[in-house]
Amino acid sequence: MSQYKLRKVTDYLWEIPREGKMRVPGRIYATEDMLPDVTKDNAHIQVANVATLPGIVNYSMAMPDIHWGYGFPIGGVAAFDVESGVISPGGVGYDINCGVRLLRTDLKREEIQDKIRDVVSALFQHVPSGVGSTGAIKLSNKELERVLVEGAHWAVENGFGTETDLDHIEESGRLPGADPSYVSARAMERGRPQLGTLGSGNHFVEVGFVEEVYDEKLAQKLGLFEGQVTMIVHTGSRGFGHQVCDDYIRVMLKASEKYGIELPDKQLCCAPVQSPEGKQYYAAMACAVNFAFANRQMITHWAREAFVKALGLPPSRVNMQVVYEVAHNIAKLEEHEVDGQRKTLCVHRKGATRAFGPGHPAVPAAYRDVGQPVLIPGDMGRYSYVLVGTEKAMVETFGSTCHGAGRVMSRHEATRVAKGRALKRELEDRGVFVMASSKETIAEEMPEAYKDVSRVVEAVALAGISVKVAKLRPLGVVKG
Amino acid sequence: MGQYTGGSFFEIIEHTGDVGVRVWGRTKEELFENAGRAMFCLLLRNADRVQPRFRRCIAVRANALDELMVNWLSELNFNFCTENEVYREFKVLEIDDQFLRAEAHGETFNPEVHEAKIEIKAVTFHQVYVGPRRDGPGWEANVIFDI
């Protein structure tokens, strides 16, 4: 059990009062029934540990999908002053800019229901997936460097998608500040064959439909309607991002010592934002962010082709458009109001989503009056959610919210529980057709291995840091 | 040669999001060799099918023994990710707390023969332990992988 006491602030917000070396209090968004899960794996201690880092502003925060991570918890949000604060690879995670893209179509559920097997098979063939998957394109180092700077823009310029897609991606699909000269040869080598691949684990392409609309006006703004066919792409920066994180953990272990930063956990290693090490990590991280933006853009292109081909319909009839794309693992320089003053902060979101409220210039023009769309994938058997950010999120959480369900079972345990069960068949009985590179992946990713995402979404809605727009239900899934 | 189904020289450490291994060896050399084998038992469903068709020489440096283990396994994983190399036998030729030189014997991954199980993003420093076995004679290592 922890040495930290959780103090109730409201029905959905809990505070770890400042003590010891904590510079600010910790704050966890969760309903009371979620707390045993939070304290069981000591994730709240990680919230307190993050609060000890220099330059942290307001609170070390965690969203309701909080669970154990390395150094920072998953579901963690922490903002650091750019003058006095730090940047930490552990606050972003290994899969830099792992994220989710939602696409909508003009089709209704009944138009594809009988063809879902064909659609999923076509997606499985067109989108490289699984352990060690390599892409269909071969890039020189020079061309890969362009990808790292241009992100999704590179993909669109090379025929993967349209300019309109770019207007509906966080940061328009290109994070400024990327500098490939701070990326190691190892990261280039690991990433080069993997651009345009889904990878493995919890990554997927999912075809589904809008099952329920909670707010008609907001749904209309996002171009969503009940019964509409949708697609979700969930993947990240693949081996490229993993290697960038790995490389800079080593740099930051040394940097923490050099700058005299006391660490309660080695994985919190960091450097001042303005130090050479801090700037170099940001420049390399931005490269990985852009790799992931390009990756999802290319996968979208192939998924569109597969979809149209399997249904035998003209692209204009399917009309697959990007609703929005969010990053789940990222650190960004953003302006926020702190004690009545505008300040530039380095906001770390690790397993958390940006959720900017109405009127913010970073929200695409089409959604600016309602707030930034937020996409919360659940497990492959149940549902996912679409929300929008709020003004309250801007005030309380630096415009952040939750990112997903979070696991309750280890992969090993899930495999054990699944033993002897025909999981693929069970999912088909529930109306979800699944294809995966290995049977084991389906077992590891089975619905029971995850928390019910609706509880997480309810908690952020109650807290007022997001507004529910719609619920999506899967029809077919390609698992990596 | 040990078993490739686990049990004799390593066990799996369960972790909600990820996975780790606890590995044993009679000597420091054997510990590092077994750690390599344990990692390939995680990566492949049928690690026992890997044939020692070629030998790869590997040398890593570190500031401390635990870091040496992380760097050693990271190097093997890097070769798997970039060169599709899979190994089944390891021979440590030289080791101290800051340097390791070893041979890895294996072949190129062949999807007709081998079946990849998981992708390891990184070998982490989280709760890493490399040192004397805590429940008996010999050596022990605990390593958590981000997957």
Short mmCIF file of all heavy atoms in Angstrom, two decimals, chain A residues 341-371:
data_model
loop_
_atom_site.label_atom_id
_atom_site.label_comp_id
_atom_site.label_asym_id
_atom_site.label_seq_id
_atom_site.Cartn_x
_atom_site.Cartn_y
_atom_site.Cartn_z
N GLN A 341 -1.63 34.57 -16.07
CA GLN A 341 -0.63 34.99 -17.07
C GLN A 341 -0.48 33.94 -18.15
O GLN A 341 -0.52 32.75 -17.86
CB GLN A 341 0.73 35.17 -16.39
CG GLN A 341 0.85 36.47 -15.62
CD GLN A 341 2.29 36.66 -15.15
OE1 GLN A 341 2.97 35.71 -14.80
NE2 GLN A 341 2.73 37.90 -15.15
N ARG A 342 -0.27 34.39 -19.40
CA ARG A 342 0.00 33.44 -20.49
C ARG A 342 1.44 32.96 -20.35
O ARG A 342 2.36 33.75 -20.21
CB ARG A 342 -0.15 34.12 -21.87
CG ARG A 342 -1.51 34.63 -22.21
CD ARG A 342 -2.59 33.59 -22.26
NE ARG A 342 -2.47 32.64 -23.37
CZ ARG A 342 -3.25 31.58 -23.51
NH1 ARG A 342 -4.20 31.33 -22.62
NH2 ARG A 342 -3.11 30.76 -24.52
N LYS A 343 1.60 31.64 -20.39
CA LYS A 343 2.95 31.10 -20.26
C LYS A 343 3.17 29.99 -21.27
O LYS A 343 2.23 29.26 -21.60
CB LYS A 343 3.14 30.51 -18.86
CG LYS A 343 3.52 31.53 -17.83
CD LYS A 343 4.11 30.85 -16.62
CE LYS A 343 4.81 31.88 -15.74
NZ LYS A 343 5.33 31.30 -14.53
N THR A 344 4.40 29.85 -21.75
CA THR A 344 4.72 28.72 -22.62
C THR A 344 5.14 27.55 -21.75
O THR A 344 6.03 27.69 -20.90
CB THR A 344 5.85 29.08 -23.60
OG1 THR A 344 5.45 30.26 -24.30
CG2 THR A 344 6.07 27.96 -24.61
N LEU A 345 4.47 26.43 -21.95
CA LEU A 345 4.72 25.24 -21.14
C LEU A 345 5.09 24.08 -22.04
O LEU A 345 4.68 24.02 -23.20
CB LEU A 345 3.46 24.88 -20.33
CG LEU A 345 2.86 25.97 -19.45
CD1 LEU A 345 1.56 25.46 -18.82
CD2 LEU A 345 3.84 26.39 -18.36
N CYS A 346 5.84 23.13 -21.47
CA CYS A 346 6.11 21.89 -22.18
C CYS A 346 5.15 20.85 -21.58
O CYS A 346 5.38 20.34 -20.49
CB CYS A 346 7.57 21.49 -21.99
SG CYS A 346 7.96 20.00 -22.89
N VAL A 347 4.06 20.61 -22.31
CA VAL A 347 3.00 19.74 -21.78
C VAL A 347 3.27 18.29 -22.21
O VAL A 347 3.33 17.99 -23.41
CB VAL A 347 1.61 20.19 -22.29
CG1 VAL A 347 0.51 19.33 -21.65
CG2 VAL A 347 1.37 21.66 -21.98
N HIS A 348 3.45 17.43 -21.22
CA HIS A 348 3.65 16.00 -21.49
C HIS A 348 2.29 15.31 -21.38
O HIS A 348 1.61 15.45 -20.37
CB HIS A 348 4.57 15.36 -20.45
CG HIS A 348 5.99 15.84 -20.50
ND1 HIS A 348 6.34 17.16 -20.30
CD2 HIS A 348 7.15 15.16 -20.69
CE1 HIS A 348 7.67 17.27 -20.39
NE2 HIS A 348 8.18 16.08 -20.62
N ARG A 349 1.92 14.56 -22.40
CA ARG A 349 0.72 13.73 -22.32
C ARG A 349 1.14 12.31 -22.66
O ARG A 349 1.53 12.03 -23.79
CB ARG A 349 -0.37 14.22 -23.28
CG ARG A 349 -0.87 15.61 -23.00
CD ARG A 349 -2.09 16.01 -23.82
NE ARG A 349 -2.48 17.38 -23.53
CZ ARG A 349 -2.06 18.44 -24.23
NH1 ARG A 349 -1.27 18.28 -25.27
NH2 ARG A 349 -2.45 19.66 -23.89
N LYS A 350 1.08 11.44 -21.65
CA LYS A 350 1.50 10.06 -21.85
C LYS A 350 0.28 9.15 -21.65
O LYS A 350 -0.13 8.92 -20.51
CB LYS A 350 2.60 9.69 -20.86
CG LYS A 350 3.09 8.26 -21.02
CD LYS A 350 4.08 7.93 -19.93
CE LYS A 350 4.66 6.56 -20.15
NZ LYS A 350 5.58 6.20 -19.06
N GLY A 351 -0.29 8.69 -22.74
CA GLY A 351 -1.55 7.97 -22.61
C GLY A 351 -2.64 8.94 -22.20
O GLY A 351 -3.46 8.66 -21.34
N ALA A 352 -2.59 10.12 -22.81
CA ALA A 352 -3.60 11.14 -22.57
C ALA A 352 -3.80 11.89 -23.88
O ALA A 352 -2.95 11.83 -24.77
CB ALA A 352 -3.15 12.10 -21.47
N THR A 353 -4.94 12.58 -23.99
CA THR A 353 -5.30 13.22 -25.25
C THR A 353 -5.43 14.72 -25.06
O THR A 353 -5.99 15.17 -24.06
CB THR A 353 -6.67 12.69 -25.73
OG1 THR A 353 -6.64 11.28 -25.70
CG2 THR A 353 -7.01 13.17 -27.12
N ARG A 354 -4.95 15.49 -26.04
CA ARG A 354 -5.23 16.91 -26.02
C ARG A 354 -6.73 17.09 -26.20
O ARG A 354 -7.34 16.34 -26.98
CB ARG A 354 -4.47 17.60 -27.17
CG ARG A 354 -4.43 19.10 -27.02
CD ARG A 354 -3.72 19.75 -28.18
NE ARG A 354 -4.60 19.80 -29.35
CZ ARG A 354 -4.28 20.39 -30.50
NH1 ARG A 354 -3.11 20.97 -30.63
NH2 ARG A 354 -5.11 20.39 -31.51
N ALA A 355 -7.31 18.03 -25.48
CA ALA A 355 -8.77 18.23 -25.56
C ALA A 355 -9.06 19.72 -25.48
O ALA A 355 -9.76 20.18 -24.58
CB ALA A 355 -9.45 17.47 -24.42
N PHE A 356 -8.53 20.47 -26.45
CA PHE A 356 -8.69 21.92 -26.42
C PHE A 356 -10.16 22.31 -26.57
O PHE A 356 -10.92 21.68 -27.32
CB PHE A 356 -7.86 22.58 -27.53
CG PHE A 356 -6.39 22.69 -27.19
CD1 PHE A 356 -5.48 23.17 -28.13
CD2 PHE A 356 -5.91 22.33 -25.94
CE1 PHE A 356 -4.14 23.29 -27.82
CE2 PHE A 356 -4.56 22.44 -25.62
CZ PHE A 356 -3.67 22.92 -26.57
N GLY A 357 -10.52 23.35 -25.86
CA GLY A 357 -11.92 23.80 -25.84
C GLY A 357 -12.28 24.68 -27.03
O GLY A 357 -11.43 24.97 -27.88
N PRO A 358 -13.56 25.10 -27.08
CA PRO A 358 -14.03 25.95 -28.17
C PRO A 358 -13.21 27.24 -28.28
O PRO A 358 -12.77 27.77 -27.27
CB PRO A 358 -15.48 26.27 -27.76
CG PRO A 358 -15.87 25.19 -26.80
CD PRO A 358 -14.61 24.79 -26.10
N GLY A 359 -13.01 27.67 -29.51
CA GLY A 359 -12.36 28.96 -29.75
C GLY A 359 -10.85 28.91 -29.85
O GLY A 359 -10.22 29.88 -30.24
N HIS A 360 -10.25 27.79 -29.51
CA HIS A 360 -8.78 27.73 -29.55
C HIS A 360 -8.28 27.70 -30.99
O HIS A 360 -8.79 26.93 -31.81
CB HIS A 360 -8.27 26.50 -28.80
CG HIS A 360 -6.82 26.60 -28.44
ND1 HIS A 360 -5.82 26.48 -29.38
CD2 HIS A 360 -6.20 26.84 -27.25
CE1 HIS A 360 -4.65 26.64 -28.79
NE2 HIS A 360 -4.84 26.85 -27.49
N PRO A 361 -7.29 28.54 -31.32
CA PRO A 361 -6.82 28.59 -32.72
C PRO A 361 -6.24 27.27 -33.22
O PRO A 361 -6.17 27.04 -34.44
CB PRO A 361 -5.73 29.67 -32.70
CG PRO A 361 -5.44 29.95 -31.26
CD PRO A 361 -6.63 29.54 -30.47
N ALA A 362 -5.80 26.36 -32.32
CA ALA A 362 -5.22 25.08 -32.77
C ALA A 362 -6.31 24.07 -33.18
O ALA A 362 -5.99 23.03 -33.74
CB ALA A 362 -4.36 24.49 -31.66
N VAL A 363 -7.56 24.41 -32.89
CA VAL A 363 -8.66 23.53 -33.29
C VAL A 363 -9.01 23.85 -34.74
O VAL A 363 -9.13 25.02 -35.10
CB VAL A 363 -9.89 23.74 -32.37
CG1 VAL A 363 -11.06 22.86 -32.82
CG2 VAL A 363 -9.53 23.46 -30.92
N PRO A 364 -9.14 22.83 -35.61
CA PRO A 364 -9.46 23.11 -37.02
C PRO A 364 -10.70 24.01 -37.15
O PRO A 364 -11.63 23.90 -36.34
CB PRO A 364 -9.77 21.72 -37.58
CG PRO A 364 -9.10 20.77 -36.68
CD PRO A 364 -9.05 21.39 -35.33
N ALA A 365 -10.66 24.88 -38.16
CA ALA A 365 -11.73 25.87 -38.35
C ALA A 365 -13.12 25.23 -38.30
O ALA A 365 -14.05 25.79 -37.71
CB ALA A 365 -11.51 26.59 -39.68
N ALA A 366 -13.25 24.04 -38.87
CA ALA A 366 -14.57 23.40 -38.96
C ALA A 366 -15.14 23.07 -37.57
O ALA A 366 -16.36 22.94 -37.42
CB ALA A 366 -14.45 22.11 -39.77
N TYR A 367 -14.28 22.91 -36.59
CA TYR A 367 -14.75 22.52 -35.25
C TYR A 367 -14.51 23.60 -34.19
O TYR A 367 -14.77 23.38 -33.02
CB TYR A 367 -14.01 21.25 -34.78
CG TYR A 367 -14.02 20.09 -35.76
CD1 TYR A 367 -12.84 19.39 -36.04
CD2 TYR A 367 -15.19 19.70 -36.40
CE1 TYR A 367 -12.84 18.31 -36.92
CE2 TYR A 367 -15.19 18.63 -37.30
CZ TYR A 367 -13.99 17.95 -37.55
OH TYR A 367 -14.00 16.90 -38.42
N ARG A 368 -13.97 24.74 -34.63
CA ARG A 368 -13.49 25.70 -33.63
C ARG A 368 -14.56 26.17 -32.66
O ARG A 368 -14.29 26.42 -31.49
CB ARG A 368 -12.83 26.90 -34.33
CG ARG A 368 -11.90 27.66 -33.39
CD ARG A 368 -10.94 28.54 -34.14
NE ARG A 368 -10.00 27.76 -34.94
CZ ARG A 368 -9.42 28.20 -36.06
NH1 ARG A 368 -9.69 29.42 -36.50
NH2 ARG A 368 -8.59 27.44 -36.72
N ASP A 369 -15.80 26.28 -33.14
CA ASP A 369 -16.83 26.77 -32.21
C ASP A 369 -17.34 25.70 -31.24
O ASP A 369 -18.03 26.02 -30.28
CB ASP A 369 -18.00 27.40 -32.97
CG ASP A 369 -18.60 26.45 -33.99
OD1 ASP A 369 -17.90 25.52 -34.42
OD2 ASP A 369 -19.78 26.63 -34.35
N VAL A 370 -16.96 24.44 -31.45
CA VAL A 370 -17.45 23.40 -30.52
C VAL A 370 -16.32 22.75 -29.71
O VAL A 370 -16.57 22.06 -28.72
CB VAL A 370 -18.24 22.28 -31.26
CG1 VAL A 370 -19.51 22.85 -31.87
CG2 VAL A 370 -17.39 21.54 -32.28
N GLY A 371 -15.09 22.93 -30.10
CA GLY A 371 -13.97 22.30 -29.39
C GLY A 371 -13.37 21.17 -30.20
O GLY A 371 -13.96 20.65 -31.14
#
